[in-house]
PDB file of all heavy atoms in Angstrom:
ATOM      1  N   GLY P1303     -27.316  74.981 -34.189  1.00 95.00           N
ATOM      2  CA  GLY P1303     -26.085  74.282 -33.836  1.00 95.00           C
ATOM      3  C   GLY P1303     -24.738  74.924 -34.303  1.00 95.00           C
ATOM      4  O   GLY P1303     -23.760  74.314 -34.398  1.00 95.00           O
ATOM      5  N   GLU P1304     -24.974  76.091 -34.890  1.00 96.00           N
ATOM      6  CA  GLU P1304     -23.779  76.875 -35.410  1.00 96.00           C
ATOM      7  C   GLU P1304     -23.202  77.822 -34.383  1.00 96.00           C
ATOM      8  O   GLU P1304     -23.994  78.422 -33.687  1.00 96.00           O
ATOM      9  CB  GLU P1304     -24.169  77.611 -36.605  1.00 96.00           C
ATOM     10  CG  GLU P1304     -24.505  76.703 -37.891  1.00 96.00           C
ATOM     11  CD  GLU P1304     -24.592  77.450 -39.122  1.00 96.00           C
ATOM     12  OE1 GLU P1304     -25.592  78.261 -39.353  1.00 96.00           O
ATOM     13  OE2 GLU P1304     -23.629  77.430 -39.982  1.00 96.00           O
ATOM     14  N   CYS P1305     -21.864  77.885 -34.336  1.00 97.00           N
ATOM     15  CA  CYS P1305     -21.183  78.897 -33.602  1.00 97.00           C
ATOM     16  C   CYS P1305     -20.488  79.754 -34.699  1.00 97.00           C
ATOM     17  O   CYS P1305     -19.473  79.258 -35.298  1.00 97.00           O
ATOM     18  CB  CYS P1305     -20.178  78.483 -32.549  1.00 97.00           C
ATOM     19  SG  CYS P1305     -19.409  79.718 -31.643  1.00 97.00           S
ATOM     20  N   VAL P1306     -20.980  80.985 -34.958  1.00 98.00           N
ATOM     21  CA  VAL P1306     -20.520  81.684 -36.069  1.00 98.00           C
ATOM     22  C   VAL P1306     -19.793  83.015 -35.618  1.00 98.00           C
ATOM     23  O   VAL P1306     -20.374  83.720 -34.812  1.00 98.00           O
ATOM     24  CB  VAL P1306     -21.685  82.131 -36.958  1.00 98.00           C
ATOM     25  CG1 VAL P1306     -21.310  82.872 -38.269  1.00 98.00           C
ATOM     26  CG2 VAL P1306     -22.572  80.971 -37.403  1.00 98.00           C
ATOM     27  N   GLY P1307     -18.602  83.272 -36.200  1.00 97.00           N
ATOM     28  CA  GLY P1307     -17.877  84.331 -35.887  1.00 97.00           C
ATOM     29  C   GLY P1307     -18.164  85.493 -37.077  1.00 97.00           C
ATOM     30  O   GLY P1307     -18.087  85.089 -38.221  1.00 97.00           O
ATOM     31  N   LEU P1308     -18.365  86.630 -36.606  1.00 98.00           N
ATOM     32  CA  LEU P1308     -18.637  87.821 -37.579  1.00 98.00           C
ATOM     33  C   LEU P1308     -17.261  88.603 -37.390  1.00 98.00           C
ATOM     34  O   LEU P1308     -17.049  89.296 -36.248  1.00 98.00           O
ATOM     35  CB  LEU P1308     -19.821  88.637 -37.258  1.00 98.00           C
ATOM     36  CG  LEU P1308     -20.058  89.727 -37.934  1.00 98.00           C
ATOM     37  CD1 LEU P1308     -20.292  89.493 -39.502  1.00 98.00           C
ATOM     38  CD2 LEU P1308     -21.361  90.499 -37.399  1.00 98.00           C
ATOM     39  N   VAL P1309     -16.509  88.713 -38.416  1.00 98.00           N
ATOM     40  CA  VAL P1309     -15.294  89.413 -38.298  1.00 98.00           C
ATOM     41  C   VAL P1309     -15.158  90.487 -39.492  1.00 98.00           C
ATOM     42  O   VAL P1309     -15.944  90.410 -40.402  1.00 98.00           O
ATOM     43  CB  VAL P1309     -14.034  88.540 -38.393  1.00 98.00           C
ATOM     44  CG1 VAL P1309     -14.047  87.489 -37.344  1.00 98.00           C
ATOM     45  CG2 VAL P1309     -13.903  87.873 -39.902  1.00 98.00           C
ATOM     46  N   GLY P1310     -14.216  91.418 -39.266  1.00 96.00           N
ATOM     47  CA  GLY P1310     -14.037  92.606 -40.179  1.00 96.00           C
ATOM     48  C   GLY P1310     -13.261  93.670 -39.556  1.00 96.00           C
ATOM     49  O   GLY P1310     -13.194  93.728 -38.117  1.00 96.00           O
ATOM     50  N   ALA P1311     -12.643  94.512 -40.250  1.00 96.00           N
ATOM     51  CA  ALA P1311     -11.934  95.563 -39.669  1.00 96.00           C
ATOM     52  C   ALA P1311     -12.759  96.550 -38.918  1.00 96.00           C
ATOM     53  O   ALA P1311     -14.024  96.597 -39.133  1.00 96.00           O
ATOM     54  CB  ALA P1311     -11.066  96.294 -40.814  1.00 96.00           C
ATOM     55  N   ASN P1312     -12.267  97.475 -38.121  1.00 94.00           N
ATOM     56  CA  ASN P1312     -13.165  98.476 -37.636  1.00 94.00           C
ATOM     57  C   ASN P1312     -13.895  99.295 -38.619  1.00 94.00           C
ATOM     58  O   ASN P1312     -13.285  99.656 -39.620  1.00 94.00           O
ATOM     59  CB  ASN P1312     -12.161  99.479 -36.776  1.00 94.00           C
ATOM     60  CG  ASN P1312     -11.600  98.829 -35.480  1.00 94.00           C
ATOM     61  OD1 ASN P1312     -12.216  97.992 -34.971  1.00 94.00           O
ATOM     62  ND2 ASN P1312     -10.391  99.358 -35.141  1.00 94.00           N
ATOM     63  N   GLY P1313     -15.091  99.420 -38.399  1.00 93.00           N
ATOM     64  CA  GLY P1313     -15.947 100.160 -39.268  1.00 93.00           C
ATOM     65  C   GLY P1313     -16.563  99.426 -40.465  1.00 93.00           C
ATOM     66  O   GLY P1313     -17.090  99.926 -41.364  1.00 93.00           O
ATOM     67  N   ALA P1314     -16.253  98.137 -40.407  1.00 96.00           N
ATOM     68  CA  ALA P1314     -16.662  97.235 -41.486  1.00 96.00           C
ATOM     69  C   ALA P1314     -18.239  96.971 -41.529  1.00 96.00           C
ATOM     70  O   ALA P1314     -18.760  96.630 -42.640  1.00 96.00           O
ATOM     71  CB  ALA P1314     -16.148  95.812 -41.453  1.00 96.00           C
ATOM     72  N   GLY P1315     -18.774  97.279 -40.449  1.00 96.00           N
ATOM     73  CA  GLY P1315     -20.260  97.220 -40.366  1.00 96.00           C
ATOM     74  C   GLY P1315     -20.842  96.114 -39.454  1.00 96.00           C
ATOM     75  O   GLY P1315     -22.084  95.653 -39.563  1.00 96.00           O
ATOM     76  N   LYS P1316     -20.019  95.489 -38.620  1.00 97.00           N
ATOM     77  CA  LYS P1316     -20.446  94.342 -37.884  1.00 97.00           C
ATOM     78  C   LYS P1316     -21.599  94.678 -36.931  1.00 97.00           C
ATOM     79  O   LYS P1316     -22.520  94.060 -36.751  1.00 97.00           O
ATOM     80  CB  LYS P1316     -19.243  93.818 -37.030  1.00 97.00           C
ATOM     81  CG  LYS P1316     -18.046  93.385 -37.832  1.00 97.00           C
ATOM     82  CD  LYS P1316     -16.948  92.746 -37.026  1.00 97.00           C
ATOM     83  CE  LYS P1316     -16.177  93.696 -36.121  1.00 97.00           C
ATOM     84  NZ  LYS P1316     -15.585  94.754 -36.796  1.00 97.00           N
TER      85      LYS P1316
END
Side-chain angles (χ1 to χ4, degrees):
E1304 292 190 288
C1305 182
V1306 183
L1308 176 62
V1309 304
N1312 290 332
K1316 299 184 296 296

